[in-house]
Amino acid sequence: MPPEPRQTVVVDGLALATEIRQRLADAVARQVAAGCRPPCLAVVLVGNDPASASYIKGKQRACGRVGMDSVEHRLPDSASETEVIEVVDRLNRDAGVDGILVQLPLPKGVRPTAVAEAVDPTKDVDGLHPMNAGYLLLGQPGLVPCTPLGIMKILEHHAIPLEGAHAVVIGRSAIVGKPIALLLQRANATVTMCHSRTRDLAGVCREADILVAAVGVPRLVKADWIQPGAAVIDVGVSEVNGALVGDVDTESAVGIASIVTPHRRGVGPMTITMLLQNTLDAYRRRGAGGRSGALTSDDDASARS
Ligand code: GUN
C-alpha cells in the first residue's frame, strides 16, 4: 500500500536568511556605534566564469545590506597559482580584512588545496583550511564551511530531531558532504555517507530520517528514495537545458517528506547568510575593529539563534 500523503513544508530559505541577516545587521550596527570599523570580507575571483562573477556579486551585495564592507580582487584566467597565492598573502597581512573567500572553481593549474592552505586560518570564512577542517573533525571551535552551517540552521528552525536520527549524506566533498556529516554526528545523529560507489543507494536513502543530497546529479533523489516523514535537503545545483535543477526531484518529494528544500530559495540564501556570520565571527575572534574592549561576542546568542 502506498504511504498516506502527508503535509510537506517546502522550506523558505530566503525568509529564514532574511531573519538571521537582520540580527547580523543589528550586531554590526552595535559594533559601529561603539566606534569600531565594520567587518570586511575580501572576495577573490580568478577568471571570468559568469556564474562565479554573479555569485561573488551576490555575496558582496549581502555584505553591504548588513553593513559590512567588502573588497573584490580579480585575476585573469591565465593567473598562475603563485599569483593567486600572492593576492591571498596580501589579504592575510591586511589588518582591515577579516574574511577571505577565493571563489571556486579555479582555473586549471591552480590547485584549490594549495590556495585553501594559503589563507590565514583566522580569516578562512569558507572553512577550507586544513586547520579549520581539523578543528571540525576534533570538535573544537573554528570556522566551518557555510553550506553545512546553513543546513544545520534549517534543520534547527524546523525542529527536526537529530539525536539518534539516521542521517544519510550523498556526496563527500570537502565543502559540503564531509563537514555536514561531522556536524550531524556532533548533534548525535547516526550518519551514513554515500558516494558514487555506494551499493543500493536508493535503499540506503530510504532508511534516512534526514537526507542531504550534495552530488550535483540532476534530480537523482526521487519519490521512492524518500522515507515518509524524512527531512530532505537539496544542495545540488546543475544546469539542464538552460534551467537550474537540484539533486532532488522536489515535486515528487512533496506529500512524502516532512520538509524539503527547493533548489531555489532553499539552501542557497542560507549559505550566503552563514558567510556573513563567519565573517562577523572571524572579525570578533581576531579582535578586529579598532577598539579593544568593544568587541565581545555577546551578540552571538541572538545572531546564532
Ligand atoms: N563556489 C561554489 N560554492 C562556493 C563556496 O561555498 N565557496 C567558494 N569559495 N566557492 C564556491
Side-chain angles (χ1 to χ4, degrees), residues 88-128:
V88 169
D89 260 341
R90 236 182 298 137
L91 295 169
N92 284 343
R93 281 183 269 110
D94 186 339
V97 167
D98 304 297
I100 301 170
L101 178 142
V102 182
Q103 186 66 26
L104 302 172
L106 289 163
K108 268 205 187 73
V110 183
R111 291 167 303 158
T113 48
V115 174
E117 276 187 52
V119 175
D120 177 340
T122 68
K123 298 188 178 188
D124 172 35
V125 286
D126 255 335
L128 292 175

Side-chain angles (χ1 to χ4, degrees), residues 138-204:
L138 297 170
Q140 292 178 18
L143 288 160
V144 175
C146 304
T147 299
L149 282 180
I151 294 171
M152 293 304 283
K153 284 277 185 210
I154 290 171
L155 295 173
E156 183 188 314
H157 180 78
H158 290 278
I160 303 299
L162 301 181
E163 186 156 327
H166 183 204
V168 172
V169 178
I170 317 174
R172 51 182 162 178
S173 68
I175 200 159
V176 183
K178 286 185 183 115
I180 189 63
L182 289 168
L183 291 175
L184 287 164
Q185 194 182 63
R186 194 193 282 181
N188 295 320
T190 302
V191 182
T192 302
M193 286 194 77
C194 301
H195 44 75
S196 52
R197 311 288 165 87
T198 297
R199 260 184 276 139
D200 187 19
L201 181 59
V204 177

Side-chain angles (χ1 to χ4, degrees), residues 4-290:
E4 286 288 301
R6 64 173 60 227
Q7 202 73 23
T8 301
V9 173
V10 178
V11 172
D12 187 343
L14 187 59
L16 179 56
T18 304
E19 205 181 298
I20 298 172
R21 286 184 205 185
Q22 184 54 55
R23 291 200 288 269
L24 291 169
D26 293 345
V28 172
R30 278 194 291 275
Q31 298 289 339
V32 173
C36 302
R37 67 163 174 81
C40 177
L41 172 70
V43 292
V44 180
L45 178 63
V46 189
N48 39 26
D49 173 50
S52 289
S54 153
Y55 288 143
I56 67 159
K57 279 277 159 268
K59 289 168 184 176
Q60 289 183 275
R61 206 176 314 122
C63 282
R65 290 201 177 132
V66 297
M68 291 186 189
D69 286 338
S70 64
V71 290
E72 182 183 317
H73 289 264
R74 287 197 181 218
L75 288 102
D77 200 41
S78 57
S80 67
E81 186 174 290
T82 309
E83 285 166 328
V84 177
I85 290 176
E86 270 167 15
V87 170
V88 169
D89 260 341
R90 236 182 298 137
L91 295 169
N92 284 343
R93 281 183 269 110
D94 186 339
V97 167
D98 304 297
I100 301 170
L101 178 142
V102 182
Q103 186 66 26
L104 302 172
L106 289 163
K108 268 205 187 73
V110 183
R111 291 167 303 158
T113 48
V115 174
E117 276 187 52
V119 175
D120 177 340
T122 68
K123 298 188 178 188
D124 172 35
V125 286
D126 255 335
L128 292 175
H129 190 284
M131 190 177 282
N132 283 316
Y135 284 146
L136 179 60
L137 186 77
L138 297 170
Q140 292 178 18
L143 288 160
V144 175
C146 304
T147 299
L149 282 180
I151 294 171
M152 293 304 283
K153 284 277 185 210
I154 290 171
L155 295 173
E156 183 188 314
H157 180 78
H158 290 278
I160 303 299
L162 301 181
E163 186 156 327
H166 183 204
V168 172
V169 178
I170 317 174
R172 51 182 162 178
S173 68
I175 200 159
V176 183
K178 286 185 183 115
I180 189 63
L182 289 168
L183 291 175
L184 287 164
Q185 194 182 63
R186 194 193 282 181
N188 295 320
T190 302
V191 182
T192 302
M193 286 194 77
C194 301
H195 44 75
S196 52
R197 311 288 165 87
T198 297
R199 260 184 276 139
D200 187 19
L201 181 59
V204 177
C205 290
R206 268 194 295 275
E207 306 266 293
D209 302 309
I210 298 158
L211 179 58
V212 179
V215 268
V217 177
R219 298 197 184 97
L220 174 70
V221 176
K222 296 160 192 71
D224 63 345
W225 288 37
I226 301 170
Q227 175 176 206
V232 179
I233 306 290
D234 186 1
V235 183
V237 184
S238 312
E239 203 183 307
V240 176
N241 302 328
L244 293 180
V245 294
D247 287 355
V248 177
D249 182 354
T250 317
E251 289 77 37
S252 78
V254 172
I256 303 171
S258 57
I259 66 165
V260 62
T261 62
H263 64 273
R264 292 191 65 235
R265 294 181 158 213
V267 172
M270 289 302 292
T271 295
I272 298 188
T273 304
M274 293 302 104
L275 174 65
L276 302 173
Q277 173 75 67
N278 275 352
T279 304
L280 180 63
D281 284 353
Y283 165 93
R284 283 184 170 140
R285 283 192 201 154
R286 295 175 52 254

